[in-house]
Amino acid sequence: MSIERLLSHIHSISPYKHYGKVTQVVGLMIESKGPQTSVGDLCSIIVGNGQKRAILAEVVGFREQNVLLMPYDRVDEIAPGSLVESQNHSLQIKVGAGMIGSVVDSLGRPFDEAGSKEGLQAFSTDNPPPNPLKRPRIKEPLSLGVKAIDGLFTVGKGQRMGIFAGSGVGKSTLMAMIAKNSDADLNVIALIGERGREVRDFIERDLGSDGLKNTIVVVATSDQPALMRIKGAMTATAISEYFRDQGLNVTLMMDSVTRVAMAQREVGLAIGEPPTTKGYTPSVFALLPRLLERSGMNENGSITAFYTVLVDGDDMNEPIADSVRGILDGHLVLDRKLANKGQFPAINVLTSISRVMNDLVSVSHRETADYIRHMLAVYRESEDLITIGAYKKGTNKEVDEAIKRYPAILDFLKQGLNDSHDFHQTTNMMMQQFGKGGN
């Protein structure tokens, strides 16, 4: 550390410690008289009679001169009069190359001993998005190794995509495929609000040792307090930002942003915010753009982000899905009907979109992708007649062509979990089969 930075750090340290005392606990909300602090600051609540320990909490608001705190841990041992000490800074985590290949919690603490603790440095979890005027344009495609995405919804380095689906339609498996097959320098995967059983299944079965060696996994399970689930998303984004600043191309995958919104709703309701759309508080719709805009390009590197959205009852217009869709640069819709037919990945080509694809691909690539979409649309419109045998061949030339093309299109869209095709392989395959209207 340089002398100037060291002196600056010394001058920023307060010579005083500020304390307060717990006055009441209601549900997850802790209220204390003092200390002198600001919204977003960390506090330590000292608990225990014999062996004293500190419960970390964050200042989330104030009520009649009292401080409102949300804990990062259970509140079992907190009693009236428990000492509250302000740390005078927001949450920071230790980040560095030693984390690669490890699984960490929302505070950046490793669950295992896989990661090295050497060379890590403090990094804030809540950072501003890149300056919009200094954010480079997305001009270079990123090979994801998934034919349906690379061919029909080409993703660029620094693009942000949503993956919209109900439960059990293949979101986690698709994320694992992208992590193993993409050309990114590093993967950061955030599992927010997952069942504890599914975490190890995802890491060992879906991701595997090959996928993990180039990945950092951040885990906040469903049993943890709401603030830990929110901080899991913030921590994963901060880790991605750190490596982006080192000049790397990072792929960030978050499953799921819906559970982050639900956690923020819990916090908002606890501090007295009014419920608005479907019970979500206004702070939820303020948090989403602040979180999602942090990924993307900056002057040094890129974060290509995939955010899964768990849609209740497969309703694509519920409040969180609608808000996220308006912020991101495109979305992939996973269709339960396609999954039930055995098509994987179950991407609904006709309802998905990549907003920057036209800037990334050649004219012939774009025309071929449009042709495939058109053939699928024509087939789907007449599918009922075709299925029951009521369509007579020769009635409509486009329908005849769609019937002829449909098996080849379906075969192109399907892909096994362990299959990998780079961007150029996919493009060449698509052009040969379907280019210029297909031969």
Side-chain angles (χ1 to χ4, degrees), residues 78-200:
I78 298 175
S82 291
L83 208 61
V84 181
E85 178 186 341
S86 173
Q87 297 191 12
N88 294 317
H89 62 79
S90 59
L91 178 65
Q92 293 184 331
I93 55 168
K94 296 287 187 179
V95 192
M99 293 181 80
I100 299 173
S102 65
V103 183
V104 300
D105 69 3
S106 299
L107 306 182
R109 302 173 301 198
F111 283 102
D112 51 27
E113 299 304 317
S116 166
K117 295 181 181 178
E118 296 179 4
L120 303 183
Q121 55 182 288
F123 195 77
S124 173
T125 60
D126 195 357
N127 303 303
N131 185 323
L133 294 182
K134 293 182 180 178
R135 194 190 283 250
R137 293 184 63 195
I138 299 168
K139 294 181 178 178
E140 189 179 347
L142 177 68
S143 175
L144 300 177
V146 181
K147 289 187 294 180
I149 302 176
D150 284 344
L152 301 179
F153 309 102
T154 307
V155 172
K157 290 179 180 177
Q159 187 172 349
R160 301 159 305 142
M161 292 285 282
I163 300 175
F164 293 74
S167 56
V169 187
K171 299 186 303 296
S172 299
T173 313
L174 181 58
M175 282 170 45
M177 284 180 70
I178 293 170
K180 286 190 287 189
N181 300 329
S182 83
D183 280 350
D185 300 316
L186 177 72
N187 302 302
V188 178
I189 300 177
L191 302 177
I192 310 298
E194 285 283 354
R195 304 174 189 90
R197 174 189 63 79
E198 290 186 335
V199 173
R200 189 166 179 180

Side-chain angles (χ1 to χ4, degrees), residues 102-106 109-112 172-173 175-176 189-209 211-212 215-224 229 255-256 259:
S102 65
V103 183
V104 300
D105 69 3
S106 299
R109 302 173 301 198
F111 283 102
D112 51 27
S172 299
T173 313
M175 282 170 45
I189 300 177
L191 302 177
I192 310 298
E194 285 283 354
R195 304 174 189 90
R197 174 189 63 79
E198 290 186 335
V199 173
R200 189 166 179 180
D201 281 352
F202 174 79
I203 292 168
E204 294 184 359
R205 182 191 64 203
D206 296 337
L207 196 58
S209 56
L212 185 60
T215 301
I216 300 168
V217 183
V218 180
V219 175
T221 51
S222 58
D223 60 293
Q224 291 184 312
R229 282 173 269 146
D255 185 18
S256 71
R259 295 193 180 107

